[in-house]
């Protein structure tokens, strides 16, 4: 009986851990920063139904590297409210060209209705959090 109870508890803990690491308990919005793989595309023209923020960056870009922890912290702060996507422009040159990105970091906010708003350049945590709060209104 103790073994069965122990196994049940282990299964419940494992199941709970698996569910919370994949999706937010509040919504269907992915948790954390999703780094777009080189072989995958992202439809920036779709109306996502929730706020999506895309960080266009490159590994060689100093301001991009400075912004990475700001972006990651915001993904934790706004978990379940905003989807965060990171796109390396060197791995996705066609997407960067389509969107006419000439300076990075370039942050694209896509609102629930598909409306786009750009923020170009490095932002502090306070500035970025305020921009997100403004977009969520």
């Amino acid at each position: 009986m103790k073994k069965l109870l122990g196994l049940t508890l282990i299964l419940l803990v494992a199941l709970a851990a698996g569910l919370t690491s994949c999706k937010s308990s509040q919504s269907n919005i992915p948790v954390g920063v999703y780094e777009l793989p080189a072989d995958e595309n992202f439809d920036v023209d779709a109306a996502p139904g929730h706020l999506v923020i895309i960080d266009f960056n490159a590994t060689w870009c100093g301001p991009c590297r400075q912004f990475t922890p700001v972006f990651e912290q915001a993904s934790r702060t706004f978990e379940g409210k905003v989807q965060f996507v990171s796109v390396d422009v060197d791995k996705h040159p066609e997407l960067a060209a389509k969107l006419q990105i000439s300076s990075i970091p370039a942050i694209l906010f896509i609102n629930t209705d598909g409306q786009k708003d750009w923020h170009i350049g490095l932002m502090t945590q306070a500035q970025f959090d305020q921009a997100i709060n403004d977009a969520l209104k």
Side-chain angles (χ1 to χ4, degrees):
M1 182 69 169
K2 286 183 182 181
K3 284 184 182 182
L4 182 59
L5 184 58
L7 286 174
T8 303
L9 182 59
I10 290 170
L11 284 173
L12 287 174
V13 170
L15 181 60
L19 290 175
T20 58
S21 67
C22 296
K23 302 264 185 196
S24 166
S25 60
Q26 300 172 346
S27 69
N28 291 330
I29 300 172
V31 173
V33 175
Y34 178 70
E35 293 189 25
L36 193 65
D39 61 344
E40 190 175 318
N41 290 319
F42 192 89
D43 185 4
V44 295
D45 295 319
H50 57 272
L51 180 61
V52 176
I53 302 175
I54 307 172
D55 172 21
F56 291 91
N57 58 70
T59 56
W60 49 263
C61 169
C64 298
R65 287 194 310 267
Q66 287 178 285
F67 184 68
T68 296
V70 171
F71 197 68
E72 289 173 349
Q73 178 58 47
S75 77
R76 291 185 291 275
T77 301
F78 294 95
E79 182 178 304
K81 298 177 185 173
V82 180
Q83 180 180 0
F84 292 85
V85 179
S86 176
V87 176
D88 185 324
V89 296
D90 291 331
K91 293 179 182 176
H92 296 277
E94 68 291 335
L95 184 57
K98 175 184 175 182
L99 296 171
Q100 300 177 345
I101 295 173
S102 59
S103 297
I104 52 175
I107 313 303
L108 175 60
F109 287 65
I110 305 175
N111 293 323
T112 57
D113 61 359
Q115 181 181 7
K116 296 174 183 68
D117 185 30
W118 286 96
H119 295 264
I120 307 299
L122 184 61
M123 286 187 275
T124 65
Q125 191 72 60
Q127 290 169 327
F128 189 49
D129 289 353
Q130 185 60 54
I132 296 170
N133 281 317
D134 290 347
L136 287 171
K137 289 181 184 175

